[in-house]
Amino acid sequence: MTIKSHLKLGLSALALSVSLNTIADDHPPIKVGILHSLSGTMAISETVLKDTVEMLIEKQNAEGGVLGRQLEAVVVDPASDWPLFAEKARELLAQEKVDVIFGNWTSVSRKSVLPVIEELNGLLFYPVQYEGEESSENVFYTGAAPNTQAIPAVNYLMNNIGVERWVLAGTDYVYPRTTNKILETYLMDMGVAKADIMINYTPFGHSDWQNIVSDIKRFGSAGKKTAVVSTINGDANVPFYRELGNQGISASDIPVVAFSVGEQELSGIDTGPLVGHLAAWNYFMSVDNDANYDFIDQWIEHTGDENAVTNDPMEAHYIGFNMWVEAVSKAGTTDVDAVKDAIIGVSVPNLTGGYSAMMPNHHITKPVLIGEIQDNGQFSVVWETSGLVAGDAWSDYLPGSRDMIADWRKPLFCGTFNVKTGKCGASAGEMAAE
């Protein structure tokens, strides 16, 4: 081969290399941040949410990605450490340059992350029930607000079971405290005496429930039907339910309705003593729907575990992820401001047999379901709303909130608009810092 031929081959190879690099530069992966605890007290609940987002990314990539680009998961472990959530969020946005983040479970972790998300103009899809009293232009709340979980659950206990005495038991942080403040006000507005409301808080990871469960048993022996409304989070639920069984408290005696216990938390424990206790969610694995069955099959295939379970926050990520994909496709870009504008009004299938829509307050529409624990660790749906309920960012039962609305459409573009004064109040970031 002549020197000229060698030169031609070399130039051809160089041109091909430059061409491939140009294609790669023109179509870099879209980075998706995953901010869930993979260790610590919340790992029992959050690890599967990391796995869920990875599964959704794999499926989307198999379908061609988004805007002709593949998605790349960037996973960090904030380790159930609330300040570390903020550090990891900054790492995802400032160093990894992710286009969106799916993450958090507890409200204290979300409150930690919120100033960072707003400062760096990121996008966070938050998949878990929470206390409301917040609406950020940078956060999309795909879990339940109090009006789409806590209030319907209390109404069910009051109207269907005849509950007159109430134990509000929670983990000691912002979500249980704010939710219980709303519920205490609501119950008293409904005519419940303050003496018929018992409130108790325990730290994360609490394990010694003997005295508290004894107090609950004593409180429920006053001749009035008593129930526990539980906002206990994480792995503390396992010894709590175990102690209920140890002290012979059955669902027929003092039913517990939980807002943070789902199929994942019940897997691997003896649910026999828990049969009949309740949970309020917007989704249960047992829902009879083809879309749900397809999702379950996909999850089992992804995990390789025939006994793998699905739960409500997983569905919330399913909804939020598909809303984000739809909004990016609609906007034609991953640009944060363009996606924020495009996502309002986007409607995607949920797993309970309908469509969920993103509302102007960055909350979504969902059905509300009450499920009863079965001996196989699943829930039998005993009650549900007749249709979808729109999540409310600001509670009607707190004096400082009932006049507030959130609407992130221009020209209003405000998360704290007071309908009485006609003015936009403190920013979501300022309120989160309080």
Side-chain angles (χ1 to χ4, degrees):
M1 185 177 290
T2 66
I3 293 175
K4 190 174 181 180
S5 298
H6 275 296
L7 183 60
K8 281 184 177 179
L9 282 174
L11 288 173
S12 297
L14 179 62
L16 178 60
S17 175
V18 170
S19 176
L20 290 174
N21 286 336
T22 300
I23 291 171
D25 289 341
D26 287 344
H27 302 281
I30 297 172
K31 290 188 173 184
V32 177
I34 303 178
L35 184 66
H36 280 302
S37 294
L38 309 181
S39 55
T41 188
M42 293 308 302
I44 186 176
S45 298
E46 293 196 66
T47 300
V48 294
L49 297 186
K50 182 271 292 185
D51 296 338
T52 300
V53 180
E54 289 182 327
M55 178 184 74
L56 294 169
I57 288 172
E58 288 177 10
K59 182 174 185 292
Q60 191 65 38
N61 282 339
E63 295 172 357
V66 182
L67 303 180
R69 297 161 63 188
Q70 292 286 283
L71 305 179
E72 177 186 325
V74 182
V75 180
V76 294
D77 178 15
S80 306
D81 181 325
W82 320 136
L84 189 56
F85 266 90
E87 293 179 29
K88 291 297 183 180
R90 186 172 295 278
E91 176 186 326
L92 288 172
L93 292 170
Q95 296 178 30
E96 297 291 346
K97 306 294 184 183
V98 300
D99 294 284
V100 63
I101 295 174
F102 293 86
N104 297 83
W105 181 291
T106 68
S107 283
V108 66
S109 72
R110 191 193 68 257
K111 294 287 190 184
S112 177
V113 162
L114 185 56
V116 177
I117 298 288
E118 292 185 333
E119 174 197 341
L120 300 178
N121 196 29
L123 289 179
L124 172 66
F125 282 79
Y126 178 63
V128 184
Q129 83 292 334
Y130 87 121
E131 71 281 357
E133 309 308 295
E134 178 183 300
S135 182
S136 168
E137 66 172 292
N138 296 87
V139 181
F140 298 96
Y141 307 82
T142 56
N147 75 303
T148 56
Q149 186 184 39
I151 297 296
V154 164
N155 286 340
Y156 173 81
L157 291 173
M158 189 178 292
N159 299 327
N160 294 62
I161 300 182
V163 172
E164 298 179 280
R165 297 201 99 193
W166 304 83
V167 178
L168 308 182
T171 303
D172 192 4
Y173 74 106
V174 61
Y175 161 61
R177 284 192 173 274
T178 305
T179 299
N180 287 343
K181 185 178 179 183
I182 292 169
L183 290 179
E184 183 181 22
T185 303
Y186 179 70
L187 289 170
M188 292 176 71
D189 285 349
M190 296 295 288
V192 176
K194 195 172 183 67
D196 286 329
I197 302 173
M198 169 185 167
I199 303 176
N200 178 266
Y201 296 104
T202 47
F204 280 97
H206 189 72
S207 59
D208 184 5
W209 289 94
Q210 186 172 354
N211 290 337
I212 295 170
V213 170
S214 293
D215 290 342
I216 292 171
K217 190 173 184 178
R218 193 176 308 111
F219 184 79
S221 64
K224 295 180 178 180
K225 185 63 178 179
T226 303
V228 177
V229 178
S230 171
T231 48
I232 299 165
N233 261 261
D235 54 11
N237 277 293
V238 175
F240 170 64
Y241 279 98
R242 184 182 298 122
E243 187 59 33
L244 289 175
N246 289 344
Q247 298 199 27
I249 298 177
S250 68
S252 59
D253 300 324
I254 302 177
V256 177
V257 62
F259 301 157
S260 297
V261 172
E263 294 84 350
Q264 180 63 29
E265 287 74 22
L266 293 180
S267 63
I269 68 171
D270 178 14
T271 56
L274 310 185
V275 170
H277 287 299
L278 307 165
W281 292 102
N282 307 116
Y283 162 87
F284 290 108
M285 184 177 177
S286 59
V287 168
D288 183 10
N289 179 267
D290 287 343
N292 183 37
Y293 295 141
D294 289 343
F295 182 75
I296 294 169
D297 288 344
Q298 184 185 349
W299 178 239
I300 289 173
E301 182 180 352
H302 179 79
T303 60
D305 180 4
E306 287 291 331
N307 297 314
V309 297
T310 60
N311 63 20
D312 180 283
M314 290 173 63
E315 190 221 19
H317 264 338
Y318 169 86
I319 293 169
F321 181 86
N322 288 328
M323 283 183 166
W324 174 74
V325 168
E326 181 72 21
V328 169
S329 301
K330 181 179 170 184
T333 176
T334 58
D335 176 75
V336 168
D337 291 330
V339 173
K340 285 189 293 190
D341 287 340
I343 200 169
I344 293 176
V346 163
S347 179
V348 300
N350 56 41
L351 298 178
T352 53
Y355 282 75
S356 290
M358 180 62 69
M359 307 301 289
N361 63 1
H362 285 190
H363 293 63
I364 69 173
T365 58
K366 281 184 166 185
V368 185
L369 293 74
I370 307 292
E372 186 178 276
I373 297 175
Q374 306 298 295
D375 57 9
N376 63 353
Q378 289 292 315
F379 291 85
S380 173
V381 177
V382 295
W383 180 88
E384 61 184 297
T385 51
S386 57
L388 301 177
V389 182
D392 191 354
W394 300 100
S395 175
D396 294 336
Y397 305 105
L398 293 180
S401 301
R402 58 172 57 107
D403 298 325
M404 304 279 274
I405 64 167
D407 190 331
W408 291 108
R409 296 171 298 184
K410 295 173 182 176
L412 189 60
F413 204 72
C414 175
T416 56
F417 186 79
N418 190 305
V419 296
K420 282 194 172 179
T421 65
K423 295 180 180 179
C424 188
S427 72
E430 289 170 338
M431 297 191 73
E434 291 176 357

